[in-house]
Amino acid sequence: MHNSKKSFWFRTILFALSALACRCELLGQNPQLQTKSGRSFPTVVFTSVLWSLNPPYYSIAIDSTGAATYQSAPDIVDTTGVPYTVAFQVSDATRRTTFIVARNLDFFRGEFPGTVGSPQKTPVRTLGFHDSTISNQMTYSSSTESEIQELTSIFEEISSTLEFGRKLAYFHQHDQSALEGELASMQREGERHHLRELQAVAPVLRSIASDKNVDEAARARAEAMLNPAHMTLTTPILSTAGE
């Protein structure tokens, strides 16, 4: 994807996040992602940008009720101009861990050990917290603080899961020959404990598993991923765009 052809929306977000890496004040220019509840509940927001990845940008918001929104800018945004967006409910374990760690970190108030690099070479991440009275945000590429590392892992695992869901939905519609390979990769990541909140992509997996036009091996892999051994199924609130 050539920089000159990026959509206006895509370029605006990436410019804002690049500026964040330079520690500029962008609270008014770069509105934080919100859940379906808006700003009604305390919310933790994580954002990551690295030019060389697909997607190079994603953001996740989780509020104190467990409502979550995920948004990313995969390559397809270049032609559609529409970000990939999923709204769902996180597990209680993820909700509790997220807010306990945020509280232990004083809701990202103050200074923390860490470095900030360039999004051309290293991920530039932000952790933010807002409720009715406060709004804090920190920017980092890496940190020696174990609880920052824990939160980073949580959000990166959620992103990995939802990006698998995005690609699987696309392949199901446009290139079914790629489904089995993608599902095999997803299974390997699950076995390595690199995935989280699999229930958010359960509708995509069910759609593949129940489609008799899909190759039997791919259907079997999708069915295996729906096994309770892989996830605790819940009923997510799901909406997608920009696939």
Side-chain angles (χ1 to χ4, degrees), residues 152-197:
T152 302
S153 294
I154 287 172
F155 287 114
E156 288 182 342
E157 289 163 7
I158 292 174
S159 176
S160 293
T161 303
L162 292 173
E163 289 300 323
F164 271 117
R166 175 182 66 82
K167 289 181 283 187
L168 288 171
Y170 179 86
F171 291 146
H172 190 196
Q173 292 296 316
H174 302 285
D175 184 10
Q176 293 189 2
S177 65
L179 279 174
E180 186 181 0
E182 193 66 24
L183 285 161
S185 296
M186 187 177 184
Q187 283 183 313
R188 287 193 294 271
E189 290 302 288
E191 291 166 359
R192 295 167 182 162
H193 306 288
H194 292 169
L195 302 179
R196 182 181 289 260
E197 304 306 316

Coordinates of all heavy atoms in Angstrom, one line a residue, residues 152-197:
T152 N -0.4 -4.8 28.0 CA 0.0 -4.9 26.6 C -0.3 -6.2 26.0 O -0.9 -6.3 24.9 CB 1.5 -4.5 26.4 OG1 1.7 -3.2 27.0 CG2 1.9 -4.5 24.9
S153 N 0.0 -7.3 26.7 CA -0.2 -8.7 26.2 C -1.7 -8.9 26.1 O -2.1 -9.5 25.1 CB 0.4 -9.7 27.2 OG 1.8 -9.6 27.2
I154 N -2.5 -8.5 27.0 CA -3.9 -8.7 27.0 C -4.5 -8.1 25.7 O -5.2 -8.7 24.9 CB -4.6 -8.1 28.2 CG1 -4.4 -8.9 29.4 CG2 -6.1 -7.9 28.0 CD1 -4.8 -8.3 30.7
F155 N -4.2 -6.8 25.4 CA -4.7 -6.1 24.3 C -4.2 -6.7 23.0 O -4.9 -6.8 22.0 CB -4.5 -4.6 24.4 CG -5.4 -4.0 25.4 CD1 -4.8 -3.4 26.6 CD2 -6.7 -3.9 25.3 CE1 -5.6 -2.8 27.5 CE2 -7.5 -3.3 26.2 CZ -7.0 -2.7 27.4
E156 N -2.9 -7.1 22.9 CA -2.4 -7.6 21.7 C -3.0 -9.0 21.4 O -3.2 -9.3 20.2 CB -0.8 -7.8 21.8 CG -0.1 -6.4 21.8 CD 1.4 -6.5 21.9 OE1 1.9 -7.6 22.3 OE2 2.1 -5.5 21.5
E157 N -3.3 -9.8 22.4 CA -4.0 -11.1 22.2 C -5.4 -10.9 21.7 O -5.9 -11.6 20.8 CB -4.0 -11.9 23.5 CG -2.6 -12.4 23.9 CD -2.5 -12.8 25.4 OE1 -3.6 -12.8 26.0 OE2 -1.4 -13.1 25.8
I158 N -6.1 -9.8 22.2 CA -7.4 -9.5 21.7 C -7.3 -9.1 20.2 O -8.1 -9.6 19.4 CB -8.1 -8.4 22.5 CG1 -8.4 -8.9 23.9 CG2 -9.4 -8.0 21.9 CD1 -8.9 -7.9 24.9
S159 N -6.4 -8.3 19.9 CA -6.2 -7.8 18.5 C -5.9 -9.0 17.6 O -6.5 -9.1 16.5 CB -5.1 -6.8 18.4 OG -4.9 -6.5 17.0
S160 N -5.0 -9.9 18.0 CA -4.7 -11.1 17.2 C -6.0 -11.9 16.9 O -6.2 -12.3 15.8 CB -3.7 -12.0 17.9 OG -2.4 -11.3 18.0
T161 N -6.8 -12.1 17.9 CA -8.0 -12.9 17.7 C -9.0 -12.2 16.8 O -9.5 -12.9 15.8 CB -8.7 -13.1 19.1 OG1 -7.8 -13.7 20.0 CG2 -10.0 -13.9 19.0
L162 N -9.2 -10.9 16.9 CA -10.1 -10.3 16.1 C -9.6 -10.1 14.6 O -10.4 -10.1 13.7 CB -10.5 -8.9 16.7 CG -11.3 -9.0 18.0 CD1 -11.5 -7.7 18.7 CD2 -12.7 -9.7 17.7
E163 N -8.3 -10.0 14.5 CA -7.8 -9.9 13.1 C -7.9 -11.3 12.4 O -8.1 -11.3 11.2 CB -6.3 -9.4 13.1 CG -6.2 -8.0 13.5 CD -6.9 -7.0 12.5 OE1 -6.9 -7.3 11.3 OE2 -7.5 -6.0 13.0
F164 N -7.8 -12.4 13.1 CA -8.1 -13.7 12.6 C -9.5 -13.7 12.1 O -9.8 -14.2 11.0 CB -7.8 -14.8 13.6 CG -6.4 -15.3 13.5 CD1 -5.6 -15.2 14.7 CD2 -5.9 -15.9 12.4 CE1 -4.3 -15.7 14.6 CE2 -4.6 -16.4 12.4 CZ -3.8 -16.3 13.5
G165 N -10.4 -13.2 13.0 CA -11.8 -13.2 12.6 C -12.1 -12.4 11.3 O -12.9 -12.7 10.5
R166 N -11.4 -11.2 11.2 CA -11.6 -10.4 10.0 C -11.1 -11.1 8.8 O -11.8 -11.1 7.8 CB -10.7 -9.1 10.2 CG -10.7 -8.2 8.9 CD -9.9 -7.0 9.1 NE -8.4 -7.3 9.3 CZ -7.6 -7.5 8.3 NH1 -8.1 -7.5 7.0 NH2 -6.3 -7.7 8.5
K167 N -9.9 -11.7 8.8 CA -9.4 -12.4 7.7 C -10.3 -13.6 7.3 O -10.5 -13.9 6.1 CB -8.0 -12.8 7.9 CG -7.0 -11.6 7.9 CD -5.6 -12.0 8.1 CE -5.3 -12.3 9.5 NZ -3.8 -12.5 9.8
L168 N -10.7 -14.4 8.3 CA -11.6 -15.5 8.1 C -12.9 -15.1 7.4 O -13.3 -15.8 6.5 CB -11.8 -16.3 9.4 CG -10.7 -17.1 9.9 CD1 -11.0 -17.6 11.3 CD2 -10.3 -18.2 9.0
A169 N -13.5 -14.1 7.9 CA -14.7 -13.6 7.2 C -14.5 -13.2 5.8 O -15.3 -13.5 4.9 CB -15.3 -12.4 8.0
Y170 N -13.4 -12.5 5.5 CA -13.0 -12.1 4.1 C -12.8 -13.4 3.3 O -13.4 -13.5 2.2 CB -11.8 -11.3 4.1 CG -11.4 -10.8 2.7 CD1 -12.0 -9.7 2.1 CD2 -10.5 -11.6 2.0 CE1 -11.6 -9.3 0.8 CE2 -10.1 -11.2 0.7 CZ -10.7 -10.1 0.1 OH -10.3 -9.8 -1.1
F171 N -12.0 -14.3 3.7 CA -11.7 -15.5 3.0 C -13.0 -16.3 2.7 O -13.2 -16.9 1.7 CB -10.7 -16.4 3.6 CG -9.3 -15.8 3.6 CD1 -8.4 -16.0 4.7 CD2 -8.9 -15.0 2.6 CE1 -7.2 -15.4 4.7 CE2 -7.6 -14.5 2.6 CZ -6.7 -14.7 3.7
H172 N -13.9 -16.4 3.7 CA -15.1 -17.1 3.6 C -15.9 -16.6 2.4 O -16.6 -17.3 1.6 CB -15.9 -17.1 4.8 CG -17.1 -18.0 4.9 ND1 -18.1 -17.9 5.8 CD2 -17.5 -19.1 4.1 CE1 -19.0 -18.8 5.6 NE2 -18.6 -19.5 4.5
Q173 N -15.9 -15.3 2.2 CA -16.7 -14.6 1.2 C -15.9 -14.6 -0.2 O -16.6 -14.7 -1.2 CB -17.0 -13.2 1.6 CG -18.0 -13.1 2.7 CD -19.3 -13.7 2.4 OE1 -19.9 -13.4 1.3 NE2 -19.9 -14.4 3.3
H174 N -14.6 -14.5 -0.1 CA -13.9 -14.2 -1.4 C -12.8 -15.2 -1.8 O -12.4 -15.2 -3.0 CB -13.2 -12.8 -1.3 CG -14.1 -11.7 -1.0 ND1 -15.0 -11.2 -1.9 CD2 -14.4 -11.0 0.2 CE1 -15.7 -10.2 -1.4 NE2 -15.3 -10.1 -0.1
D175 N -12.3 -16.1 -0.9 CA -11.3 -17.0 -1.2 C -11.3 -18.2 -0.3 O -10.4 -18.3 0.6 CB -9.9 -16.3 -1.2 CG -8.8 -17.2 -1.7 OD1 -9.0 -18.3 -2.2 OD2 -7.6 -16.8 -1.5
Q176 N -12.2 -19.1 -0.5 CA -12.4 -20.2 0.5 C -11.2 -21.1 0.5 O -11.0 -21.8 1.5 CB -13.7 -21.0 0.2 CG -14.9 -20.2 0.5 CD -16.2 -21.0 0.4 OE1 -16.1 -22.2 0.2 NE2 -17.3 -20.3 0.6
S177 N -10.4 -21.1 -0.5 CA -9.2 -22.0 -0.6 C -8.2 -21.6 0.5 O -7.3 -22.4 0.9 CB -8.5 -21.9 -2.0 OG -8.0 -20.6 -2.2
A178 N -8.3 -20.3 1.0 CA -7.3 -19.9 2.0 C -7.8 -20.1 3.4 O -7.0 -19.9 4.4 CB -7.1 -18.4 1.8
L179 N -9.0 -20.6 3.6 CA -9.6 -20.8 4.9 C -8.8 -21.8 5.8 O -8.5 -21.5 7.0 CB -11.0 -21.2 4.8 CG -12.1 -20.1 4.6 CD1 -13.4 -20.8 4.3 CD2 -12.1 -19.1 5.7
E180 N -8.5 -23.0 5.3 CA -7.9 -24.0 6.1 C -6.5 -23.5 6.6 O -6.2 -23.7 7.8 CB -7.7 -25.3 5.4 CG -7.2 -26.4 6.3 CD -7.0 -27.7 5.6 OE1 -7.3 -27.8 4.4 OE2 -6.6 -28.7 6.3
G181 N -5.7 -22.9 5.8 CA -4.4 -22.4 6.2 C -4.6 -21.3 7.3 O -3.8 -21.3 8.3
E182 N -5.5 -20.4 7.1 CA -5.7 -19.4 8.1 C -6.2 -20.0 9.5 O -5.8 -19.6 10.5 CB -6.7 -18.3 7.6 CG -6.8 -17.1 8.4 CD -5.5 -16.3 8.4 OE1 -4.7 -16.4 7.4 OE2 -5.2 -15.5 9.3
L183 N -7.1 -20.9 9.4 CA -7.6 -21.6 10.6 C -6.5 -22.4 11.3 O -6.4 -22.4 12.5 CB -8.8 -22.5 10.2 CG -10.1 -21.8 10.0 CD1 -11.1 -22.7 9.2 CD2 -10.7 -21.3 11.3
A184 N -5.6 -23.0 10.5 CA -4.5 -23.7 11.1 C -3.6 -22.8 11.8 O -3.1 -23.1 12.9 CB -3.7 -24.5 10.0
S185 N -3.3 -21.6 11.2 CA -2.5 -20.6 11.9 C -3.2 -20.1 13.2 O -2.5 -19.9 14.2 CB -2.3 -19.4 11.0 OG -1.5 -19.7 9.9
M186 N -4.5 -20.0 13.2 CA -5.2 -19.5 14.3 C -5.2 -20.6 15.4 O -5.0 -20.3 16.6 CB -6.7 -19.3 14.0 CG -7.5 -18.7 15.1 SD -9.2 -18.3 14.5 CE -9.9 -17.5 16.0
Q187 N -5.3 -21.9 15.1 CA -5.2 -22.9 16.1 C -3.8 -22.9 16.7 O -3.7 -23.1 17.9 CB -5.4 -24.3 15.4 CG -6.9 -24.6 15.1 CD -7.1 -25.9 14.5 OE1 -6.4 -26.3 13.6 NE2 -8.1 -26.7 15.1
R188 N -2.7 -22.7 15.9 CA -1.4 -22.7 16.5 C -1.2 -21.6 17.5 O -0.6 -21.7 18.6 CB -0.3 -22.6 15.4 CG -0.2 -23.9 14.6 CD 1.1 -23.8 13.7 NE 1.0 -22.8 12.7 CZ 0.5 -23.0 11.5 NH1 0.0 -24.2 11.1 NH2 0.4 -22.0 10.6
E189 N -1.8 -20.4 17.1 CA -1.7 -19.3 18.0 C -2.5 -19.5 19.3 O -2.0 -19.1 20.4 CB -2.2 -18.0 17.4 CG -1.2 -17.5 16.3 CD 0.1 -17.2 16.8 OE1 0.3 -16.2 17.5 OE2 1.1 -18.0 16.5
G190 N -3.6 -20.2 19.2 CA -4.4 -20.5 20.4 C -3.6 -21.5 21.3 O -3.6 -21.4 22.5
E191 N -3.0 -22.5 20.7 CA -2.2 -23.4 21.5 C -1.0 -22.8 22.2 O -0.6 -23.2 23.2 CB -1.7 -24.5 20.6 CG -2.8 -25.4 20.1 CD -2.4 -26.3 18.9 OE1 -1.2 -26.2 18.4 OE2 -3.2 -27.1 18.4
R192 N -0.5 -21.7 21.6 CA 0.6 -20.9 22.3 C 0.1 -19.9 23.2 O 0.8 -19.1 23.8 CB 1.4 -20.2 21.2 CG 2.1 -21.2 20.2 CD 2.7 -20.4 19.0 NE 3.3 -21.3 18.1 CZ 3.6 -21.1 16.8 NH1 3.2 -19.9 16.3 NH2 4.2 -21.9 16.0
H193 N -1.2 -19.9 23.5 CA -1.9 -18.9 24.4 C -1.7 -17.5 23.9 O -1.5 -16.6 24.7 CB -1.4 -19.1 25.8 CG -1.6 -20.5 26.3 ND1 -2.8 -21.1 26.6 CD2 -0.6 -21.5 26.5 CE1 -2.6 -22.3 27.0 NE2 -1.3 -22.6 27.0
H194 N -1.7 -17.2 22.6 CA -1.6 -15.9 22.0 C -2.9 -15.3 21.6 O -2.9 -14.2 21.0 CB -0.6 -16.0 20.8 CG 0.8 -16.3 21.2 ND1 1.8 -16.6 20.2 CD2 1.4 -16.3 22.4 CE1 2.9 -16.8 20.9 NE2 2.7 -16.7 22.2
L195 N -4.0 -16.0 21.9 CA -5.3 -15.5 21.6 C -6.1 -15.2 22.9 O -5.9 -15.8 23.9 CB -6.1 -16.5 20.7 CG -5.4 -16.8 19.4 CD1 -6.3 -17.8 18.6 CD2 -5.2 -15.6 18.5
R196 N -7.1 -14.3 22.8 CA -8.0 -14.0 23.9 C -9.3 -13.5 23.4 O -9.4 -12.9 22.4 CB -7.3 -12.9 24.8 CG -8.1 -12.5 26.0 CD -7.4 -11.4 26.8 NE -6.2 -11.9 27.4 CZ -6.1 -12.2 28.7 NH1 -7.1 -12.1 29.5 NH2 -4.9 -12.6 29.2
E197 N -10.4 -13.9 24.1 CA -11.8 -13.5 23.8 C -12.2 -14.1 22.5 O -12.8 -13.4 21.6 CB -11.9 -11.9 23.7 CG -11.5 -11.2 25.0 CD -12.2 -11.8 26.2 OE1 -13.4 -12.0 26.2 OE2 -11.5 -12.0 27.3

